[in-house]
Amino acid sequence: MNAVKGTLNHVELIGRLGSDPEMRFLSSGVAMCRFNLATNRPAGQDAQGNRAYETDWTHVEAWERLAELCNTYLHKGRRVMVSGSLRNDSWVDKESGQTRYRTYVRAREVMFLDPRPEQADAPSEVSEEEDVPF
């Protein structure tokens, strides 16, 4: 966890991927993988008195080896647990000149919660520190 001088920035989410991960490499050769995670939260009751839920979408980024593993093994609909830290970016839009903001989770660890796919070598959990062979 990131505990620095009495502060903590730690996020854990369990949800499903809304689409396949998107992988890219920076000019330095560093791998980066992005995906969106859907999580549900209670939102009162529907007309029949059943518990209603709303879906929140969270942007997730994984880097380096973790990015490569996520890109290889994750697919739309897979259920995962992501542990990481909350990050905020801001930039000035070149077209409008307005400041834009983006909040996302920088993944440190990803646990695959669905049953293992047909690939016998697919890991069930990966983190930035591990070197899991393909």
Side-chain angles (χ1 to χ4, degrees):
M1 289 191 217
N2 293 340
V4 179
K5 294 188 179 185
T7 68
L8 176 66
N9 183 351
H10 182 78
V11 175
E12 288 187 334
L13 297 170
I14 296 175
R16 294 193 180 274
L17 271 69
S19 60
D20 288 339
E22 295 179 9
M23 177 86 153
R24 68 182 178 117
F25 291 88
L26 304 181
S27 58
S28 63
V30 174
M32 192 264 289
C33 181
R34 288 182 175 160
F35 55 92
N36 291 321
L37 193 65
T39 56
N40 294 327
R41 60 183 159 79
Q45 296 181 347
D46 63 17
Q48 291 78 32
N50 299 317
R51 178 172 276 181
Y53 294 91
E54 290 183 359
T55 301
D56 291 315
W57 291 94
T58 304
H59 301 289
V60 179
E61 283 187 5
W63 289 81
E64 299 174 345
R65 182 76 171 141
L66 181 58
E68 294 173 17
L69 293 167
C70 287
N71 186 61
T72 300
Y73 295 111
L74 294 182
H75 303 286
K76 179 180 180 178
R78 293 279 320 258
R79 195 167 55 103
V80 298
M81 182 177 116
V82 174
S83 296
S85 57
L86 198 59
R87 303 286 179 99
N88 296 294
D89 286 342
S90 65
W91 67 96
V92 176
D93 186 298
K94 292 178 183 178
E95 292 180 18
S96 68
Q98 293 183 334
T99 303
R100 303 283 184 193
Y101 301 93
R102 182 174 78 98
T103 300
Y104 62 98
V105 172
R106 167 83 188 306
R108 245 186 330 274
E109 183 176 54
V110 177
M111 183 181 299
F112 306 152
L113 299 177
D114 286 335
R116 286 185 180 228
E118 293 76 39
Q119 299 165 311
D121 63 342
S124 61
E125 181 177 349
V126 292
S127 69
E128 288 181 331
E129 294 82 28
E130 293 182 50
D131 188 25
V132 179
F134 288 116

